Amino acid sequence: MSTRQALSVKEKMAYGCGDAASNMMWGMTSSYLMYYYTDIYGLPLLAVSWILLVARVVDAFCDPAIGYVVDRIGGLFVPRLIRFLAIPFGITGFLCFLALPLSPTGKVVWAGATYIVFGAIYSCINTPYGALAVMMSRSATQRVSLNAFRMMGCQAGSLLVALLTIPAITWLGGGESAAQHRYGMAVYVLALSVLGSILWLCVARGCTVRHPPAPVRQDLLVTLRHLLGNRRWVLSNLLAFFYFVGQAALFGFALYYARIVLGGTEQLGANIITFITVLLFAGVPACLPLARRLGTVRSGIMCLIAQGAAYLAMAVAGASMTGFFLSIALLALAQGVMSPFYYTLLAEAVDDGDPKTSTGSAGLAYSINTWVTKLAMGLTGFVLAQFLSQGHYVEGGVTQPPDLSFWIMAGFIWLPLGAVCMQALCLLAWRDRE
């Protein structure tokens, strides 16, 4: 490996700061936004489901647009763009959890507008960040290592949110009432937003673009046609879609599963999220030795088999706390080991397409991948909210309908189990080309 290709630990840590920043707010929106909307801000479930879906429809335009801009301007533009958007990222993330005292209709409009604007800023900073890995190194080994640091940053940000959120909003708000939780949530998210902006500035300062793609002058439709003709790129996007369906279900329904199926409290749900996040983080370092021994695709298939077994065991365990935690431990460890492989396979797919298309389309390729992940989150959030509605969930209610547990298990176990099966099919199709 040449010195030019080698990345220092400091630079890998700087790169990991980006996912730490993203996943503090991603963790808040994926694990607590639905709970905040329904139980703290008092929005109706139907409105919540449509807010989550419409925000992703808007992102259908934001992600490809910023990717196209990056490709047209060139790779050296990426650190400057991240620096420019670092502070707006923090401000808009804070506004998502700022509960203004409005009318019922005003609350829905405010919640929808702030979440849509945050999603747009998130697209504009996270899409070039994803493409940055391709520009920092051409070494496959270095990329696995770089994405391992990215995933460790991801899990560190998620862990911070999982550990602190429920205790922090209660402590900062001074009590357990909805009004106190609204105040505590606003103060807490303000602190997260400031930290997130600082971490994005660390990315812009600490990461070096060594292999900047030349500005793309090719017609957009031609570039899209070339991307869609790249079979591995299509498979990597399908992998990402089904992975984030599982993640959205896992984190979005954890609080509800803890209360309805396991018979606990919101704090138990927060403890489950913390437990999952710790084990996701613990699993990440195992990805590199496993990939060296078995290869990325075979390692991924093994991880998916373990995840499928964990979901089935969870279904059998039912309300058993011991059975649940053993199952969720296996699930989280397997997901942690596999998490860097998604981005490694995506980078491989982008490289695989370059010699065939002669276009430096990394920005557009990653922007569409980012949109796919958020589309998965939005659609899953919409489905989960519909499941709550079908089960006649009572917002903030102590007593819930008996049929609700069926819908909670459908969202927490059976939906993500189906997504695991679809990922396995994608990896089996990928192996045809090896």
Side-chain angles (χ1 to χ4, degrees):
M1 181 186 305
S2 68
T3 305
R4 182 177 177 81
Q5 287 182 315
L7 302 177
S8 68
V9 172
K10 182 179 179 180
E11 190 169 5
K12 293 175 185 176
M13 291 178 65
Y15 185 70
C17 286
D19 242 41
S22 283
N23 280 277
M24 285 191 299
M25 295 311 301
W26 185 278
M28 287 301 300
T29 55
S30 63
S31 299
Y32 295 100
L33 187 65
M34 187 184 298
Y35 169 74
Y36 166 76
Y37 281 162
T38 58
D39 288 50
I40 296 179
Y41 202 31
L43 300 184
L45 276 170
L46 182 62
V48 171
S49 66
W50 282 106
I51 288 171
L52 297 176
L53 184 61
V54 170
R56 298 292 75 85
V57 173
V58 173
D59 283 342
F61 300 95
C62 294
D63 287 290
I66 190 62
Y68 184 65
V69 168
V70 169
D71 285 339
R72 298 288 290 184
I73 296 177
L76 293 174
F77 171 67
V78 169
R80 294 197 296 271
L81 179 61
I82 291 174
R83 184 182 299 112
F84 175 76
L85 292 174
I87 293 176
F89 173 88
I91 292 172
T92 54
F94 165 66
L95 292 178
C96 280
F97 292 88
L98 180 62
L100 295 184
L102 303 172
S103 67
T105 301
K107 287 182 177 181
V108 172
V109 172
W110 170 253
T114 52
Y115 188 44
I116 287 170
V117 172
F118 171 70
I121 297 295
Y122 185 97
S123 297
C124 292
I125 197 168
N126 207 59
T127 293
Y129 169 72
L132 185 59
V134 175
M135 304 173 193
M136 291 174 66
S137 175
R138 294 292 188 189
S139 164
T141 302
Q142 285 289 295
R143 283 179 179 174
V144 172
S145 179
L146 190 64
N147 283 306
F149 273 85
R150 176 179 182 174
M151 286 298 98
M152 285 190 283
C154 163
Q155 305 307 341
S158 299
L159 178 60
L160 178 67
V161 167
L163 280 171
L164 297 182
T165 300
I166 296 297
I169 63 176
T170 301
W171 181 70
L172 292 170
E176 297 285 350
S177 71
Q180 289 168 320
H181 274 190
R182 284 194 292 272
Y183 178 78
M185 181 70 82
V187 176
Y188 172 64
V189 176
L190 176 61
L192 291 182
S193 300
V194 171
L195 178 58
S197 294
I198 292 171
L199 290 171
W200 276 121
L201 292 173
C202 290
V203 176
R205 183 180 178 87
C207 295
T208 302
V209 175
R210 294 174 175 80
H211 308 279
V216 175
R217 301 302 179 211
Q218 195 173 51
D219 181 80
L220 175 61
L221 293 178
V222 174
T223 305
L224 283 172
R225 188 166 65 249
H226 286 158
L227 284 174
L228 292 173
N230 182 344
R231 182 168 174 269
R232 285 190 166 186
W233 180 78
V234 173
L235 287 172
S236 66
N237 279 285
L238 289 172
L239 272 169
F241 178 86
F242 290 114
Y243 169 70
F244 280 97
V245 165
Q247 290 292 287
L250 183 66
F251 287 98
F253 252 25
L255 293 176
Y256 301 99
Y257 194 89
R259 291 163 56 196
I260 308 304
V261 177
L262 298 179
T265 63
E266 285 89 351
Q267 185 58 55
L268 174 62
N271 292 341
I272 290 170
I273 294 172
T274 302
F275 184 69
I276 294 170
T277 307
V278 168
L279 292 180
L280 284 170
F281 185 88
V284 171
C287 71
L288 190 56
L290 188 63
R292 285 173 175 166
R293 184 176 182 84
L294 299 177
T296 303
V297 174
R298 288 182 181 177
S299 300
I301 290 173
M302 285 186 59
C303 292
L304 289 172
I305 291 172
Q307 290 177 49
Y311 277 120
L312 291 174
M314 200 184 304
V316 172
S320 167
M321 202 71 71
T322 301
F324 171 79
F325 273 98
L326 289 174
S327 303
I328 208 73
L330 174 61
L331 176 67
L333 282 171
Q335 288 186 346
V337 174
M338 189 173 178
S339 56
F341 296 155
Y342 295 98
Y343 300 100
T344 303
L345 291 171
L346 177 60
E348 182 181 326
V350 172
D351 284 347
D352 190 42
D354 279 346
K356 300 173 184 177
T357 62
S358 299
T359 62
S361 56
L364 190 61
Y366 274 87
S367 70
I368 295 175
N369 181 263
T370 301
W371 172 70
V372 164
T373 64
K374 291 193 290 183
L375 177 65
M377 298 286 288
L379 287 174
T380 305
F382 178 82
V383 170
L384 294 180
Q386 292 297 320
F387 282 0
L388 289 178
S389 180
Q390 290 294 321
H392 304 289
Y393 174 72
V394 180
E395 295 88 342
V398 177
T399 304
Q400 299 290 347
D403 292 340
L404 181 59
S405 60
F406 168 82
W407 293 100
I408 299 295
M409 291 189 69
F412 194 76
I413 296 176
W414 303 118
L415 178 64
L417 177 59
V420 167
C421 295
M422 295 305 296
Q423 289 178 69
L425 291 177
C426 291
L427 285 184
L428 290 172
W430 191 291
R431 293 186 70 187
D432 293 342
R433 296 284 303 275
E434 289 189 339

